[in-house]
Amino acid sequence: MLQIIYYILFSIVLLFGLYFVLLSPFAFVKRKNPIKTYDAKTKFAVLIAARNEADVIGDLIESLKVQKYPAELYDIYAIVNNCTDQTEKVARDAGAKIMSVDVPVKCKGDVLMYAFAKLKPCDYSAYIIFDADNEVHPDFLSFMNNAYQSGYL
C-alpha cells in the first residue's frame, strides 16, 4: 500500500517537473510587437501633479513645449493642490493650463483621480503623467504616439 502511494506521488512530481522542463525553452523566446513610425494623430493630456514645485515645474513645462509633435495634439495641465509657494504662477507663466484641486486630497493618487474625472469628457486618446522635477526629450511625444498607434495601451 505504501509503495502504491509512493508511485502515485512520484508520478505527480515527475509530470509536474516534465511540464516545466518542456515549457522552459519558450520563456527565452521573445515575441515583440514592433513599434512602427506613425503620423502624429494621438491626442495627449500631459498631467503634472504639483505641490510646492515652483523651483522645477517651469523647466518641465518648457521641455514639453519644445516637443517635435504638433502643439494642437497635446495639452499640458499643472494640477496644483495645497501649494504654499508660487507653483501655480510659475506653471501658468510657463504656458500650462492650471487645474486647481478644490476637494480634500491625501496623496498624488487622489489628485490624479480628480484630474481624470475632470478630463473624462474631453477627447484625449491618452494621458501622460509627469512628476514636476522631470525634463522631457524633444521626441518623447512622437515616441509615445508611435507606441500608442502600435497597440501599446
Side-chain angles (χ1 to χ4, degrees):
M1 180 67 175
L2 191 59
Q3 196 172 17
I4 293 172
I5 294 172
Y6 170 76
Y7 284 124
I8 292 172
L9 288 175
F10 176 77
S11 298
I12 291 171
V13 171
L14 180 65
L15 289 174
F16 190 71
L18 284 174
Y19 171 78
F20 282 107
V21 167
L22 293 175
L23 286 181
S24 63
F26 295 103
F28 299 104
V29 176
K30 282 189 175 183
R31 286 193 239 176
K32 277 182 130 178
N33 184 10
I35 296 178
K36 300 174 186 170
T37 302
Y38 292 91
D39 292 333
K41 59 183 173 181
T42 306
K43 177 104 178 180
F44 293 106
V46 180
L47 308 178
I48 308 164
R51 180 171 183 258
N52 296 335
E53 303 279 6
D55 294 338
V56 293
I57 196 167
D59 294 334
L60 171 59
I61 295 168
E62 290 301 324
S63 71
L64 286 165
K65 286 173 40 183
V66 296
Q67 290 293 298
K68 296 176 185 172
Y69 197 74
E72 64 274 5
L73 289 179
Y74 69 99
D75 294 316
I76 304 167
Y77 290 94
I79 311 159
V80 295
N81 67 305
N82 301 320
C83 291
T84 59
D85 66 358
Q86 296 295 313
T87 299
E88 184 175 340
K89 180 184 180 328
V90 172
R92 183 177 287 111
D93 291 348
K97 296 178 179 183
I98 304 300
M99 186 181 298
S100 296
V101 179
D102 55 8
V103 297
V105 293
K106 295 181 182 177
C107 62
K108 191 177 285 191
D110 291 345
V111 172
L112 291 172
M113 293 301 287
Y114 175 86
F116 293 145
K118 289 286 187 182
L119 295 173
K120 190 172 186 175
C122 300
D123 64 340
Y124 294 111
S125 304
Y127 299 100
I128 300 175
I129 302 166
F130 286 105
D131 196 38
D133 59 358
N134 293 135
E135 287 191 31
V136 185
H137 189 278
D139 292 323
F140 179 79
L141 288 178
S142 295
F143 290 140
M144 293 301 290
N145 174 67
N146 293 339
Y148 185 83
Q149 297 300 323
S150 293
Y152 291 93
L153 303 175

